């Protein structure tokens, strides 16, 4: 069976490392982008099965990346899980308005991450 | 009856004929009733046999029902056992995933602390770890001056500019950590002697190398989703971070001194 491809987007090496370690055990192909434009380029060229997208990033934040991906025909239906330090309702609402499918708050729980990723990939 | 016209003999004969007819009718009725009794008796026998047969069938069905009930009880027991096992596996899975996350966090901390000899990168990594793994966007990193008398802020995130520039060793909760080398953990440590600006201090861990204190990491308000609570793993993480950060900052200082 073909391995699912996940694009991890975060400007923090610490978070990327942690996400990679947690998801590695589930045998996904993991791609990494450290800022918004790089994430856009990789999403368009690689067409991942799912994107794990940090909200707070310099230059182009996660909301903007999400909106732009939703505006593109080829990336419109890729599931996007936003990863945010802000767990307040209004931030979550902004994430959904931008077009994400789900969200995870930091500090990341490995169990939550694995189960949400698996859930969205199996839909 | 006109006795005068027929005479006594005629009358007697007539009575005799009537009597004969009546007897004949009675005999016919008797025969009919006998036949009816025989038919009913036959039907009774048939019904009795049918009843016995049905009773046998009921008995067989009861036995089958008992057997099914026993099987059902057995299956219910097996289901209960399976559910119990499933729950145990689920709990174990959650436990393992949490351990996996914790190990991933500890590994990331260790790796990030020793992945560079650039002091600013180390300070940035400490901030990232506190923000993303401990769950606070308000923190400050202090280093002890050469005399060991005061702490100087070398990096901060999310705090008012100018706050906590320097702290005398022994002063307030942060100064006390630098003096004693004992971590301050909100809810576990004494808050007496806290400075007004330390009202939101959640944790303060000493940076130590070989027992010598070189600074502290102070963590203030936690992210809303942490509900103001640090869990035992957060303490473990902060402890490891402080140890690794102290060593890493020490090496960066050595590197800077040795650099041409």
């Amino acid at each position: 069976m073909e391995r699912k491809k996940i694009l991890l987007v975060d400007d923090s090496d610490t978070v990327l490392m942690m996400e990679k370690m947690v998801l590695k055990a589930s045998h996904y192909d993991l791609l990494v982008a450290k800022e918004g434009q790089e994430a856009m380029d990789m999403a368009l060229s690689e067409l991942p099965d799912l994107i794990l997208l940090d909200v707070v990033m310099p230059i182009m934040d996660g909301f903007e990346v999400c909106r732009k991906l939703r505006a593109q025909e080829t990336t419109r239906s890729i599931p996007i899980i936003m990863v945010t330090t802000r767990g307040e309702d209004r931030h979550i609402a902004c994430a959904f308005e931008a077009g994400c499918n789900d969200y995870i708050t930091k500090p990341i729980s490995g169990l939550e991450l694995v189960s949400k990723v698996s859930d969205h990939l199996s839909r | 009856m006109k006795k005068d016209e027929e005479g006594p003999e005629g009358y007697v004969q007539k009575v005799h004929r009537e009597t004969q007819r009546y007897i004949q009718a009675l005999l016919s009725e008797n025969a009919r009733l006998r036949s009816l009794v025989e038919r009913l008796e036959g039907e009774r026998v048939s019904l009795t046999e049918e009843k016995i047969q049905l009773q046998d069938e009921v008995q067989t069905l009861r036995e089958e029902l008992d057997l099914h009930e026993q099987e059902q009880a057995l299956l219910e027991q097996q289901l209960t056992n399976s559910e119990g096992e499933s729950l145990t596996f689920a709990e174990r899975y959650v436990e393992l995933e949490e351990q996996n996350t914790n190990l991933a966090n500890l590994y990331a901390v260790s790796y990030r602390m020793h992945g560079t000899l650039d002091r600013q990168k180390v300070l940035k990594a400490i901030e990232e770890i506190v923000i993303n793994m401990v769950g606070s966007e308000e923190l400050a990193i202090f280093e002890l001056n050469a005399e060991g008398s005061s702490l100087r802020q070398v990096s901060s995130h999310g705090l008012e500019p100018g706050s906590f520039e320097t702290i005398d060793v022994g002063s307030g909760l942060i100064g006390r950590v630098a003096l004693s080398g004992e971590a301050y953990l909100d809810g576990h440590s004494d808050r007496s002697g806290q400075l007004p600006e330390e009202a939101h201090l959640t944790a303060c861990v000493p940076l130590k190398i070989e027992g010598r204190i070189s600074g502290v990491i102070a963590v203030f308000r936690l992210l809303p989703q942490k509900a103001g609570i640090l869990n035992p793993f957060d303490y473990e993480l902060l402890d490891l971070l402080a140890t690794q950060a102290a060593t890493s900052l020490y090496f960066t200082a050595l590197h800077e001194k040795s650099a041409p």
Side-chain angles (χ1 to χ4, degrees):
Chain A
M1 201 170 68
E2 197 179 342
R3 283 157 66 112
K4 299 281 185 180
K5 205 187 289 180
I6 301 174
L7 174 59
L8 311 176
V9 187
D10 205 301
D11 62 324
S12 162
D13 287 329
T14 312
V15 175
L16 288 172
M17 183 180 286
M18 189 267 178
E19 288 175 348
K20 278 196 276 187
M21 288 192 69
V22 169
L23 292 171
K24 202 165 58 179
S26 302
H27 306 291
Y28 299 121
D29 281 338
L30 303 174
L31 309 167
V32 169
K34 293 186 71 176
E35 50 98 0
Q37 189 54 54
E38 188 187 2
M40 286 292 304
D41 296 343
M42 286 193 86
L44 289 165
S45 62
E46 296 287 340
L47 296 176
D49 296 290
L50 184 140
I51 300 172
L52 210 55
L53 181 61
D54 183 31
V55 172
V56 183
M57 289 187 294
I59 308 167
M60 192 193 297
D61 69 18
F63 295 143
E64 194 180 343
V65 174
C66 192
R67 276 191 289 269
K68 286 187 171 179
L69 289 172
R70 288 296 177 246
Q72 297 274 348
E73 184 64 35
T74 50
T75 56
R76 185 168 294 161
S77 58
I78 297 175
I80 297 176
I81 300 177
M82 292 279 224
V83 182
T84 175
T85 49
R86 308 297 170 90
E88 299 99 323
D89 290 346
R90 61 197 171 93
H91 287 285
I92 305 302
C94 284
F96 281 109
E97 276 168 23
C100 80
N101 299 77
D102 211 336
Y103 71 94
I104 291 172
T105 54
K106 293 179 184 176
I108 296 170
S109 149
L111 183 65
E112 186 185 14
L113 176 63
V114 169
S115 59
K116 285 197 172 178
V117 164
S118 160
D119 180 35
H120 284 282
L121 285 175
S122 63
R123 285 181 191 180
Chain B
M1 194 180 289
K2 294 179 180 175
K3 211 191 307 185
D4 293 340
E5 291 173 10
E6 294 172 0
E9 280 184 15
Y11 179 73
V12 168
Q13 282 173 358
K14 194 166 186 179
V15 168
H16 183 70
R17 277 197 304 274
E18 288 291 324
T19 304
Q20 284 296 318
R21 255 200 314 271
Y22 182 68
I23 288 168
Q24 199 58 47
L26 279 176
L27 286 172
S28 296
E29 183 62 13
N30 190 310
R32 192 183 66 80
L33 288 172
R34 274 178 193 280
S35 165
L36 184 63
V37 166
E38 277 172 18
R39 189 167 59 81
L40 288 173
E41 182 62 22
E43 284 178 8
R44 190 185 70 79
V45 170
S46 168
L47 284 171
T48 304
E49 285 170 354
E50 201 174 325
K51 183 184 165 193
I52 290 167
Q53 193 183 343
L54 284 172
Q55 280 174 338
D56 287 347
E57 284 176 15
V58 166
Q59 182 61 29
T60 308
L61 287 171
R62 277 209 180 110
E63 285 169 6
E64 281 180 18
L65 185 64
D66 285 346
L67 207 63
H68 286 311
E69 280 175 350
Q70 284 172 14
E71 279 178 14
Q72 187 185 352
L74 194 68
L75 287 171
E76 278 173 0
Q77 184 59 47
Q78 285 175 350
L79 184 65
T80 306
N81 292 345
S82 296
E83 281 172 350
E85 280 175 16
S86 173
L87 192 65
T88 308
F89 280 128
E91 286 169 352
R92 186 80 188 118
Y93 174 72
V94 169
E95 203 178 301
L96 283 173
E97 275 300 334
E98 280 172 0
Q99 282 177 9
N100 189 27
T101 306
N102 293 347
L103 286 172
N105 282 338
L106 294 174
Y107 174 81
V109 168
S110 185
Y111 187 89
R112 294 281 285 135
M113 284 296 95
H114 297 292
T116 179
L117 284 170
D118 183 321
R119 178 179 167 78
Q120 288 311 312
K121 284 184 182 170
V122 172
L123 291 171
K124 173 83 177 151
I126 295 170
E127 283 183 16
E128 269 186 22
I129 288 162
V130 173
I131 294 166
N132 295 300
M133 292 183 172
V134 177
S136 170
E137 288 188 314
E138 292 180 13
L139 69 130
I141 304 162
F142 298 88
E143 281 183 322
L144 210 54
N145 64 2
E147 296 76 32
S149 58
S150 75
L151 291 165
R152 184 176 61 88
Q153 190 188 108
V154 291
S155 179
S156 75
H157 182 94
L159 297 177
E160 288 291 322
S163 59
F164 300 107
E165 286 296 324
T166 59
I167 298 172
D168 291 336
V169 170
S171 169
L173 302 177
I174 296 172
R176 197 165 71 202
V177 172
L179 182 67
S180 67
E182 295 294 322
Y184 168 82
L185 301 167
D186 193 28
H188 291 80
S189 308
D190 180 16
R191 281 199 87 100
S192 62
Q194 77 167 44
L195 301 173
E197 56 269 38
E198 293 176 328
H200 298 300
L201 185 71
T202 302
C204 182
V205 286
L207 302 174
K208 283 197 276 192
I209 301 177
E210 307 238 323
R212 189 178 62 80
I213 298 160
S214 60
V216 301
I217 299 172
V219 179
F220 294 87
R221 270 185 290 225
L222 299 177
L223 294 169
Q225 58 268 30
K226 293 283 288 186
I229 300 165
L230 287 175
N231 60 44
F233 178 73
D234 293 325
Y235 301 146
E236 212 176 309
L237 191 73
L238 279 169
D239 185 47
L240 178 81
L241 173 63
T243 307
Q244 305 280 320
T247 315
S248 189
L249 286 170
Y250 178 75
F251 282 133
T252 61
L254 283 181
H255 180 70
E256 280 175 5
K257 278 181 194 167
S258 66

